[in-house]
């Protein structure tokens, strides 16, 4: 393969991941608007159900295009089937909690702030991995957390030294998403990512559905009224964007991929301002900039600094 071909495939992957980040960022609008029609668990149940249908159709199409008989888990290997089911359930549980806290938080905070606070999962993943698995943390990651903490102070803490409850819920959401990412990383080896995601969203649908009927009062009429934002969050954000992430990462190294996908926070801020008129104060914008710097810094290659944090 010549150099021009290499550049072309890299550009292709970058465009896929940029589109993925755009969809995720603008999905905060769909979540904010959809929250006016459905309570958090009801919204997430409908969203997960649509994502499940979309991913099921993707699996069916992929098998047909490859000339293979359709298998919902993509394999007859008992060990891989068992790992896909168990891994998908674990990921689904953590994603259910993360999505609930995010949807609850966005009811009380702006789209832009929600996007930047959620994106903190990129900074949190190395530290949760260290706490659970004792993986090594670099100096550059330590610095990124300090910068992110300062940025979060400017975003969330007002002049009366109190925190908006929506910001707090979204911060908890960031920790949950970090846990979900770690769970995926531990089970994804030698598994079909789309099939794993399918089991994950089936789990989300079931959990949200059960909790929805216990704690909320779902309304079919309201779901129909809010179908467009719910469909965008379910099909585009959960289905299309996830597929773009899977394919796009084949053409980009992980560091570059994370940097591009972290643009979802910037797209969330921009879309909230343009479409919903949710302006932010200079203090909050400054905090967002610091968080964005921390997110990018956390993905920098370790080779850029000669020092490492000790275990």
């Amino acid at each position: 393969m010549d150099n021009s071909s290499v550049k072309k495939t890299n550009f292709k992957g970058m465009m896929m991941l940029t589109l993925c980040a755009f969809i995720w960022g603008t999905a905060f609008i769909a979540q904010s608007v959809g929250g006016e029609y459905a309570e958090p668990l009801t919204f997430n149940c409908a969203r997960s159900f649509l994502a499940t249908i979309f991913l099921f159709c993707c699996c069916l199409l992929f098998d047909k295009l490859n000339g293979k008989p359709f298998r919902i888990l993509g394999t007859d290997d008992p060990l891989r089937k068992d790992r896909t089911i168990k891994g998908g359930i674990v990921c689904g549980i953590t994603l259910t909690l993360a999505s609930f806290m995010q949807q609850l938080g966005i009811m009380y905070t702006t789209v832009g702030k929600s996007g930047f606070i959620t994106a903190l999962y990129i900074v949190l993943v190395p530290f949760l991995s260290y706490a659970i698995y004792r993986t090594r943390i670099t100096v550059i990651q330590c610095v990124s957390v300090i910068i992110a903490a300062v940025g979060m102070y400017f975003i969330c803490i007002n002049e009366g030294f109190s925190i908006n409850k929506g910001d707090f819920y979204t911060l908890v959401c960031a920790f949950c998403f970090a846990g979900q990412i770690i769970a995926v990383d531990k089970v994804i080896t030698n598994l079909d990512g789309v099939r794993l995601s399918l089991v994950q969203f089936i789990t989300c649908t079931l959990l949200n559905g059960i909790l929805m009927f216990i704690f909320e009062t779902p309304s079919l009429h309201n779901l129909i009224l809010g179908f467009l934002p719910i469909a965008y969050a379910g099909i585009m954000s959960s289905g299309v964007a996830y597929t773009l992430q899977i394919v796009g990462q084949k053409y980009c190294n992980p560091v570059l991929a994370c940097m591009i996908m972290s643009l979802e926070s910037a797209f969330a801020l921009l879309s909230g301002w343009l479409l919903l008129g949710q302006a932010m104060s200079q203090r909050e914008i400054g905090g967002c900039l610091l968080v964005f710097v921390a997110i990018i810094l956390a993905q920098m290659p370790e080779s850029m600094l000669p020092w490492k944090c000790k275990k």
Side-chain angles (χ1 to χ4, degrees), residues 104-185:
L104 187 63
I106 208 168
M107 295 171 63
Y108 303 102
T109 191
T110 66
V111 166
K113 291 170 71 175
S114 180
F116 275 91
I117 297 172
T118 299
L120 277 173
Y121 65 78
I122 296 174
V123 179
L124 295 172
V125 165
F127 288 85
L128 286 182
S129 294
Y130 173 78
I132 300 172
Y133 300 107
R134 284 293 185 263
T135 55
R136 183 166 42 82
I137 303 174
T138 66
V139 167
I140 207 165
Q141 289 170 337
C142 295
V143 173
S144 71
V145 167
I146 295 173
I147 295 174
V150 175
M152 287 299 299
Y153 174 82
F154 287 122
I155 293 175
C156 301
I157 308 299
N158 59 31
E159 295 176 356
F161 293 97
S162 62
I163 184 171
N164 179 300
K165 63 181 178 180
D167 296 338
F168 175 76
Y169 292 144
T170 311
L171 183 58
V172 175
C173 145
F175 276 92
C176 295
F177 270 125
Q180 189 261 356
I181 290 169
I182 293 171
V184 170
D185 181 65

Coordinates of all heavy atoms in Angstrom, one line a residue, residues 104-185:
L104 N -31.2 12.4 33.9 CA -31.7 13.1 35.1 C -31.0 14.4 35.2 O -31.6 15.5 35.5 CB -31.5 12.2 36.3 CG -32.1 12.7 37.6 CD1 -33.6 12.8 37.5 CD2 -31.7 11.8 38.8
G105 N -29.7 14.4 35.0 CA -28.9 15.6 35.1 C -29.3 16.7 34.1 O -29.3 17.9 34.4
I106 N -29.6 16.3 32.8 CA -29.8 17.2 31.8 C -31.1 17.9 31.9 O -31.4 19.0 31.3 CB -29.7 16.5 30.4 CG1 -29.3 17.5 29.3 CG2 -31.1 15.9 30.0 CD1 -28.9 16.8 28.0
M107 N -32.0 17.4 32.9 CA -33.2 18.1 33.2 C -33.0 19.4 34.0 O -33.8 20.3 34.0 CB -34.1 17.2 34.0 CG -34.6 16.0 33.2 SD -35.5 14.7 34.2 CE -36.9 15.7 34.7
Y108 N -31.8 19.5 34.6 CA -31.5 20.6 35.5 C -30.3 21.4 35.1 O -29.9 22.3 35.9 CB -31.3 20.1 37.0 CG -32.5 19.3 37.5 CD1 -32.5 17.8 37.5 CD2 -33.7 19.9 37.9 CE1 -33.5 17.1 38.0 CE2 -34.8 19.1 38.4 CZ -34.7 17.8 38.4 OH -35.7 17.0 38.8
T109 N -29.7 21.1 34.0 CA -28.5 21.8 33.6 C -28.6 22.0 32.1 O -29.5 21.5 31.4 CB -27.2 21.1 34.0 OG1 -26.1 22.0 33.8 CG2 -27.0 19.8 33.2
T110 N -27.6 22.8 31.6 CA -27.6 23.1 30.1 C -27.0 22.0 29.3 O -26.2 21.2 29.9 CB -26.9 24.4 29.8 OG1 -25.5 24.3 30.1 CG2 -27.5 25.6 30.6
V111 N -27.3 22.0 28.0 CA -26.7 21.0 27.1 C -25.2 21.0 27.1 O -24.5 20.0 27.1 CB -27.3 21.1 25.7 CG1 -26.5 20.4 24.7 CG2 -28.8 20.7 25.7
G112 N -24.7 22.3 27.0 CA -23.2 22.5 26.9 C -22.5 22.0 28.2 O -21.5 21.3 28.1
K113 N -23.0 22.3 29.3 CA -22.4 21.9 30.6 C -22.5 20.4 30.7 O -21.5 19.7 31.1 CB -23.0 22.6 31.8 CG -22.7 24.0 31.9 CD -23.6 24.7 32.9 CE -23.2 24.4 34.3 NZ -23.9 25.1 35.3
S114 N -23.6 19.8 30.3 CA -23.8 18.3 30.4 C -22.7 17.6 29.5 O -22.2 16.6 29.9 CB -25.2 18.0 30.0 OG -25.4 16.6 30.0
G115 N -22.5 18.2 28.3 CA -21.6 17.6 27.4 C -20.1 17.6 27.9 O -19.4 16.6 27.8
F116 N -19.7 18.7 28.5 CA -18.3 18.8 29.0 C -18.2 17.9 30.3 O -17.1 17.3 30.5 CB -18.0 20.2 29.3 CG -17.5 20.9 28.1 CD1 -18.3 21.6 27.2 CD2 -16.1 20.9 27.7 CE1 -17.9 22.2 26.1 CE2 -15.6 21.5 26.6 CZ -16.5 22.2 25.8
I117 N -19.2 17.9 31.2 CA -19.1 17.1 32.4 C -19.0 15.6 32.1 O -18.2 14.9 32.6 CB -20.2 17.5 33.4 CG1 -20.1 18.9 33.8 CG2 -20.1 16.6 34.6 CD1 -21.3 19.4 34.6
T118 N -19.9 15.2 31.2 CA -19.9 13.8 30.7 C -18.6 13.4 30.2 O -18.1 12.3 30.4 CB -21.1 13.6 29.7 OG1 -22.3 13.9 30.3 CG2 -21.1 12.1 29.3
A119 N -18.0 14.3 29.4 CA -16.7 13.9 28.7 C -15.6 13.7 29.7 O -14.5 13.2 29.3 CB -16.4 15.0 27.7
L120 N -15.8 14.0 30.9 CA -14.7 13.8 31.9 C -14.4 12.3 32.1 O -13.4 11.9 32.7 CB -15.2 14.3 33.3 CG -15.0 15.8 33.5 CD1 -15.6 16.2 34.9 CD2 -13.5 16.1 33.5
Y121 N -15.3 11.4 31.5 CA -15.0 10.0 31.6 C -13.6 9.6 31.0 O -13.0 8.7 31.4 CB -16.1 9.1 31.0 CG -16.2 9.3 29.5 CD1 -15.4 8.7 28.6 CD2 -17.3 10.1 28.9 CE1 -15.5 8.8 27.2 CE2 -17.4 10.2 27.6 CZ -16.5 9.6 26.7 OH -16.7 9.8 25.3
I122 N -13.2 10.4 30.0 CA -11.9 10.2 29.4 C -10.8 10.4 30.4 O -9.8 9.7 30.3 CB -11.8 11.1 28.1 CG1 -12.8 10.8 27.1 CG2 -10.4 11.0 27.5 CD1 -12.8 11.7 25.9
V123 N -10.9 11.4 31.2 CA -9.9 11.7 32.3 C -10.0 10.6 33.4 O -9.0 10.2 34.0 CB -10.1 13.1 32.8 CG1 -9.1 13.4 33.9 CG2 -10.0 14.1 31.7
L124 N -11.2 10.2 33.7 CA -11.5 9.3 34.9 C -11.0 7.9 34.6 O -10.7 7.2 35.6 CB -12.9 9.4 35.3 CG -13.5 10.7 35.8 CD1 -15.0 10.6 35.9 CD2 -12.8 11.1 37.1
V125 N -11.1 7.4 33.4 CA -10.9 6.0 33.1 C -9.5 5.5 33.6 O -9.4 4.5 34.2 CB -11.0 5.7 31.5 CG1 -10.3 4.4 31.2 CG2 -12.4 5.7 31.1
P126 N -8.4 6.2 33.3 CA -7.1 5.7 33.9 C -7.1 5.6 35.4 O -6.4 4.7 35.9 CB -6.1 6.8 33.4 CG -6.8 7.6 32.3 CD -8.2 7.5 32.6
F127 N -7.7 6.5 36.1 CA -7.7 6.5 37.5 C -8.6 5.4 38.1 O -8.3 4.8 39.1 CB -8.0 7.9 38.1 CG -6.9 8.8 37.9 CD1 -6.9 9.5 36.7 CD2 -6.0 9.1 38.8 CE1 -5.8 10.4 36.4 CE2 -4.9 10.0 38.6 CZ -4.9 10.6 37.4
L128 N -9.7 5.1 37.5 CA -10.6 4.0 37.9 C -9.9 2.7 37.6 O -10.0 1.8 38.4 CB -11.9 4.1 37.3 CG -12.9 5.2 37.8 CD1 -14.2 5.1 37.1 CD2 -13.1 5.1 39.3
S129 N -9.2 2.6 36.5 CA -8.4 1.4 36.1 C -7.3 1.2 37.2 O -7.1 0.0 37.5 CB -7.8 1.6 34.7 OG -8.8 1.6 33.7
Y130 N -6.7 2.3 37.6 CA -5.7 2.1 38.6 C -6.3 1.6 40.0 O -5.7 0.7 40.6 CB -5.0 3.4 38.9 CG -4.0 3.4 40.0 CD1 -2.7 2.8 39.9 CD2 -4.3 3.9 41.3 CE1 -1.9 2.7 41.0 CE2 -3.5 3.9 42.4 CZ -2.2 3.3 42.2 OH -1.4 3.2 43.3
A131 N -7.4 2.2 40.3 CA -8.1 1.8 41.6 C -8.5 0.3 41.6 O -8.5 -0.3 42.6 CB -9.3 2.7 41.9
I132 N -9.0 -0.1 40.4 CA -9.5 -1.5 40.3 C -8.5 -2.5 40.0 O -8.4 -3.6 40.6 CB -10.7 -1.5 39.3 CG1 -11.8 -0.6 39.7 CG2 -11.2 -3.0 39.2 CD1 -12.9 -0.4 38.6
Y133 N -7.6 -2.2 39.0 CA -6.7 -3.2 38.4 C -5.2 -2.8 38.6 O -4.3 -3.5 38.2 CB -6.9 -3.3 36.9 CG -8.3 -3.8 36.6 CD1 -9.3 -3.0 36.0 CD2 -8.7 -5.2 36.8 CE1 -10.5 -3.4 35.7 CE2 -10.0 -5.6 36.5 CZ -10.9 -4.7 36.0 OH -12.1 -5.2 35.7
R134 N -5.0 -1.7 39.3 CA -3.6 -1.2 39.6 C -2.8 -1.0 38.3 O -1.6 -1.3 38.2 CB -2.9 -2.2 40.5 CG -3.3 -2.1 41.9 CD -2.9 -0.8 42.5 NE -3.2 -0.7 44.0 CZ -4.3 -0.1 44.5 NH1 -5.2 0.4 43.7 NH2 -4.5 0.0 45.8
T135 N -3.5 -0.5 37.2 CA -2.8 -0.1 36.0 C -2.0 1.2 36.2 O -2.4 2.0 37.1 CB -3.8 0.1 34.8 OG1 -4.8 1.0 35.2 CG2 -4.4 -1.3 34.5
R136 N -0.9 1.3 35.5 CA 0.0 2.5 35.7 C -0.7 3.8 35.3 O -1.4 3.8 34.3 CB 1.3 2.2 34.9 CG 2.3 3.3 35.1 CD 3.7 2.8 34.6 NE 3.5 2.0 33.3 CZ 3.4 2.6 32.1 NH1 3.5 3.9 32.0 NH2 3.3 1.9 31.0
I137 N -0.4 4.9 36.0 CA -0.9 6.2 35.7 C 0.3 7.1 35.4 O 1.3 7.0 36.1 CB -1.6 6.8 36.9 CG1 -2.8 6.0 37.3 CG2 -2.1 8.2 36.5 CD1 -3.5 6.4 38.5
T138 N 0.2 7.8 34.3 CA 1.4 8.7 33.9 C 1.2 10.1 34.5 O 0.2 10.5 35.0 CB 1.4 8.8 32.4 OG1 0.3 9.5 31.9 CG2 1.5 7.5 31.7
V139 N 2.3 10.8 34.5 CA 2.3 12.2 35.0 C 1.4 13.0 34.3 O 0.6 13.9 34.8 CB 3.8 12.8 35.0 CG1 3.7 14.3 35.2 CG2 4.7 12.1 36.0
I140 N 1.3 12.9 32.9 CA 0.5 13.7 32.1 C -1.0 13.5 32.4 O -1.8 14.4 32.4 CB 0.8 13.4 30.6 CG1 0.5 14.7 29.8 CG2 0.1 12.2 30.1 CD1 1.0 14.6 28.4
Q141 N -1.3 12.2 32.8 CA -2.7 12.0 33.3 C -3.0 12.6 34.6 O -4.1 13.1 34.8 CB -2.9 10.4 33.3 CG -3.0 9.8 31.9 CD -2.9 8.3 32.0 OE1 -2.5 7.7 33.0 NE2 -3.4 7.6 30.9
C142 N -2.0 12.6 35.5 CA -2.2 13.3 36.8 C -2.4 14.8 36.6 O -3.3 15.4 37.3 CB -1.0 13.1 37.7 SG -0.7 11.3 38.2
V143 N -1.7 15.4 35.7 CA -1.8 16.8 35.5 C -3.2 17.1 34.9 O -3.9 18.1 35.2 CB -0.7 17.3 34.5 CG1 -1.0 18.8 34.1 CG2 0.7 17.2 35.2
S144 N -3.7 16.2 34.0 CA -5.0 16.4 33.3 C -6.1 16.4 34.4 O -7.1 17.2 34.2 CB -5.2 15.3 32.3 OG -5.4 14.1 32.9
V145 N -6.0 15.6 35.4 CA -7.0 15.5 36.4 C -7.1 16.8 37.2 O -8.1 17.4 37.5 CB -6.8 14.3 37.4 CG1 -7.7 14.4 38.6 CG2 -7.1 13.0 36.6
I146 N -5.9 17.4 37.5 CA -5.8 18.7 38.2 C -6.5 19.8 37.4 O -7.3 20.6 37.9 CB -4.4 19.0 38.6 CG1 -3.8 18.0 39.5 CG2 -4.3 20.4 39.2 CD1 -2.3 18.2 39.8
I147 N -6.1 19.8 36.1 CA -6.7 20.8 35.2 C -8.2 20.6 35.1 O -9.0 21.6 35.2 CB -6.1 20.8 33.8 CG1 -4.6 21.1 33.9 CG2 -6.8 21.7 32.9 CD1 -3.9 21.0 32.6
A148 N -8.7 19.4 35.0 CA -10.1 19.1 34.9 C -10.8 19.5 36.2 O -12.0 20.0 36.2 CB -10.3 17.6 34.7
A149 N -10.2 19.3 37.4 CA -10.8 19.6 38.6 C -11.0 21.2 38.7 O -12.1 21.6 39.2 CB -10.0 19.2 39.8
V150 N -10.0 21.9 38.3 CA -10.2 23.4 38.3 C -11.3 23.8 37.3 O -12.1 24.7 37.6 CB -8.8 24.1 37.8 CG1 -9.0 25.6 37.7 CG2 -7.7 23.8 38.9
G151 N -11.3 23.2 36.1 CA -12.4 23.5 35.2 C -13.8 23.1 35.7 O -14.7 23.9 35.5
M152 N -13.9 22.0 36.4 CA -15.2 21.6 37.0 C -15.6 22.6 38.0 O -16.8 22.9 38.2 CB -15.1 20.2 37.6 CG -15.0 19.1 36.5 SD -16.5 19.1 35.5 CE -17.7 18.8 36.7
Y153 N -14.6 23.2 38.8 CA -15.0 24.2 39.8 C -15.7 25.4 39.1 O -16.7 25.8 39.6 CB -13.7 24.6 40.5 CG -14.0 25.7 41.5 CD1 -14.5 25.5 42.8 CD2 -13.7 27.1 41.2 CE1 -14.7 26.5 43.7 CE2 -14.0 28.1 42.0 CZ -14.5 27.8 43.3 OH -14.7 28.8 44.2
F154 N -15.1 25.8 38.0 CA -15.7 27.0 37.3 C -17.0 26.7 36.7 O -17.9 27.5 36.6 CB -14.7 27.5 36.3 CG -13.5 28.2 36.9 CD1 -12.2 27.8 36.6 CD2 -13.7 29.3 37.8 CE1 -11.1 28.4 37.2 CE2 -12.6 30.0 38.3 CZ -11.3 29.5 38.1
I155 N -17.2 25.4 36.2 CA -18.4 25.0 35.6 C -19.6 24.9 36.6 O -20.7 25.3 36.4 CB -18.2 23.7 34.8 CG1 -17.3 24.0 33.6 CG2 -19.6 23.2 34.2 CD1 -17.0 22.7 32.8
C156 N -19.3 24.2 37.6 CA -20.3 23.7 38.5 C -20.5 24.5 39.8 O -21.7 24.6 40.3 CB -20.0 22.2 39.0 SG -19.9 21.1 37.6
I157 N -19.5 25.0 40.4 CA -19.6 25.8 41.7 C -19.9 27.2 41.4 O -19.2 27.9 40.8 CB -18.3 25.6 42.5 CG1 -17.9 24.2 42.6 CG2 -18.5 26.3 43.9 CD1 -19.0 23.3 43.3
N158 N -21.1 27.7 41.9 CA -21.5 29.1 41.7 C -20.8 30.0 42.7 O -20.1 29.5 43.6 CB -23.0 29.2 41.7 CG -23.6 28.8 43.0 OD1 -23.0 28.9 44.0 ND2 -24.9 28.3 42.9
E159 N -21.1 31.2 42.7 CA -20.5 32.2 43.6 C -20.9 31.9 45.0 O -20.2 32.4 46.0 CB -20.8 33.6 43.2 CG -20.2 34.0 41.8 CD -20.7 35.4 41.3 OE1 -21.5 36.0 42.1 OE2 -20.2 35.8 40.3
G160 N -22.0 31.2 45.3 CA -22.4 30.9 46.6 C -21.8 29.6 47.1 O -22.2 29.1 48.1
F161 N -20.8 29.1 46.3 CA -20.2 27.8 46.7 C -21.1 26.6 46.8 O -21.0 25.8 47.7 CB -19.3 27.9 48.0 CG -18.2 28.9 47.8 CD1 -18.3 30.2 48.2 CD2 -17.0 28.5 47.2 CE1 -17.2 31.1 48.1 CE2 -15.9 29.3 47.1 CZ -16.0 30.6 47.5
S162 N -22.1 26.6 45.9 CA -23.1 25.5 45.9 C -23.1 24.9 44.5 O -22.7 25.6 43.5 CB -24.5 25.9 46.3 OG -25.0 26.9 45.4
I163 N -23.4 23.6 44.3 CA -23.4 23.0 43.0 C -24.8 22.7 42.6 O -25.7 22.3 43.4 CB -22.6 21.7 43.1 CG1 -22.5 21.0 41.7 CG2 -23.2 20.7 44.1 CD1 -21.5 19.8 41.7
N164 N -25.1 22.9 41.3 CA -26.4 22.6 40.7 C -26.6 21.1 40.7 O -25.7 20.4 40.4 CB -26.4 23.1 39.3 CG -27.6 22.9 38.5 OD1 -28.0 21.7 38.4 ND2 -28.3 23.9 38.0
K165 N -27.8 20.7 41.1 CA -28.0 19.2 41.3 C -27.9 18.5 39.9 O -27.5 17.3 39.8 CB -29.3 18.9 41.9 CG -30.6 19.4 41.1 CD -31.8 19.0 41.9 CE -33.1 19.5 41.2 NZ -34.3 19.1 42.0
G166 N -28.2 19.2 38.8 CA -28.0 18.6 37.5 C -26.6 18.4 37.2 O -26.2 17.3 36.6
D167 N -25.7 19.3 37.6 CA -24.3 19.1 37.4 C -23.8 17.9 38.2 O -22.9 17.2 37.7 CB -23.5 20.4 37.7 CG -23.9 21.6 36.9 OD1 -24.4 21.3 35.7 OD2 -23.7 22.7 37.3
F168 N -24.3 17.8 39.4 CA -23.9 16.7 40.3 C -24.3 15.4 39.7 O -23.5 14.4 39.6 CB -24.5 16.9 41.7 CG -24.2 15.7 42.6 CD1 -22.9 15.5 43.2 CD2 -25.2 14.7 42.8 CE1 -22.7 14.5 44.0 CE2 -24.9 13.6 43.7 CZ -23.6 13.5 44.2
Y169 N -25.5 15.3 39.2 CA -26.0 14.0 38.6 C -25.1 13.7 37.4 O -24.8 12.5 37.2 CB -27.5 14.1 38.2 CG -28.5 14.3 39.3 CD1 -29.6 15.1 39.1 CD2 -28.3 13.6 40.5 CE1 -30.5 15.2 40.2 CE2 -29.2 13.7 41.5 CZ -30.3 14.5 41.3 OH -31.3 14.7 42.4
T170 N -24.8 14.7 36.6 CA -24.0 14.4 35.4 C -22.6 14.0 35.7 O -22.0 13.2 35.0 CB -24.0 15.7 34.5 OG1 -25.3 16.2 34.3 CG2 -23.4 15.4 33.1
L171 N -22.0 14.5 36.8 CA -20.7 14.1 37.3 C -20.7 12.7 37.7 O -19.8 11.9 37.4 CB -20.3 15.0 38.5 CG -18.9 14.7 39.0 CD1 -17.8 14.9 37.9 CD2 -18.6 15.7 40.2
V172 N -21.8 12.2 38.4 CA -21.9 10.8 38.7 C -22.0 10.0 37.4 O -21.5 8.9 37.3 CB -23.2 10.6 39.6 CG1 -23.4 9.1 39.8 CG2 -23.1 11.3 40.9
C173 N -22.7 10.5 36.4 CA -22.9 9.9 35.1 C -21.5 9.7 34.5 O -21.2 8.6 33.9 CB -23.7 10.7 34.2 SG -23.3 10.7 32.5
A174 N -20.6 10.6 34.6 CA -19.2 10.5 34.0 C -18.5 9.4 34.7 O -17.8 8.6 34.0 CB -18.5 11.8 34.2
F175 N -18.6 9.2 36.0 CA -18.0 8.1 36.7 C -18.6 6.7 36.2 O -17.8 5.7 35.9 CB -18.2 8.2 38.2 CG -17.2 9.0 38.9 CD1 -17.4 10.4 39.0 CD2 -16.0 8.5 39.3 CE1 -16.5 11.2 39.7 CE2 -15.0 9.4 39.9 CZ -15.3 10.7 40.1
C176 N -19.9 6.7 36.0 CA -20.6 5.5 35.5 C -20.1 5.1 34.1 O -19.9 4.0 33.7 CB -22.1 5.6 35.5 SG -22.7 5.8 37.2
F177 N -20.0 6.2 33.2 CA -19.6 5.9 31.8 C -18.1 5.4 31.8 O -17.7 4.5 31.0 CB -19.7 7.2 31.0 CG -21.0 7.3 30.3 CD1 -21.7 8.5 30.4 CD2 -21.5 6.3 29.5 CE1 -23.0 8.6 29.8 CE2 -22.7 6.5 28.8 CZ -23.4 7.6 29.0
A178 N -17.3 5.9 32.7 CA -15.9 5.5 32.8 C -15.9 4.0 33.2 O -15.1 3.2 32.7 CB -15.1 6.3 33.9
G179 N -16.8 3.6 34.2 CA -16.9 2.2 34.5 C -17.3 1.3 33.4 O -16.9 0.2 33.2
Q180 N -18.3 1.8 32.6 CA -18.8 1.1 31.4 C -17.7 0.9 30.4 O -17.5 -0.2 29.8 CB -19.9 1.8 30.8 CG -20.7 1.0 29.7 CD -20.3 1.4 28.3 OE1 -19.5 2.4 28.1 NE2 -20.8 0.7 27.3
I181 N -16.8 1.9 30.2 CA -15.7 1.8 29.2 C -14.7 0.8 29.7 O -14.2 0.0 28.9 CB -15.1 3.2 29.0 CG1 -16.0 4.1 28.3 CG2 -13.7 3.1 28.3 CD1 -15.5 5.6 28.3
I182 N -14.4 0.8 31.0 CA -13.5 -0.2 31.5 C -14.0 -1.6 31.4 O -13.3 -2.6 31.0 CB -13.2 0.1 33.0 CG1 -12.4 1.4 33.1 CG2 -12.4 -1.0 33.7 CD1 -12.3 1.9 34.5
A183 N -15.4 -1.8 31.6 CA -16.0 -3.1 31.5 C -15.9 -3.6 30.0 O -15.6 -4.8 29.8 CB -17.5 -3.0 31.9
V184 N -16.2 -2.7 29.1 CA -16.1 -3.1 27.7 C -14.6 -3.5 27.3 O -14.4 -4.5 26.7 CB -16.5 -1.9 26.8 CG1 -16.2 -2.2 25.3 CG2 -18.0 -1.6 26.9
D185 N -13.7 -2.7 27.8 CA -12.3 -3.0 27.5 C -11.9 -4.4 28.0 O -11.1 -5.1 27.4 CB -11.4 -1.9 28.2 CG -9.9 -2.2 27.9 OD1 -9.5 -2.1 26.7 OD2 -9.2 -2.4 28.8

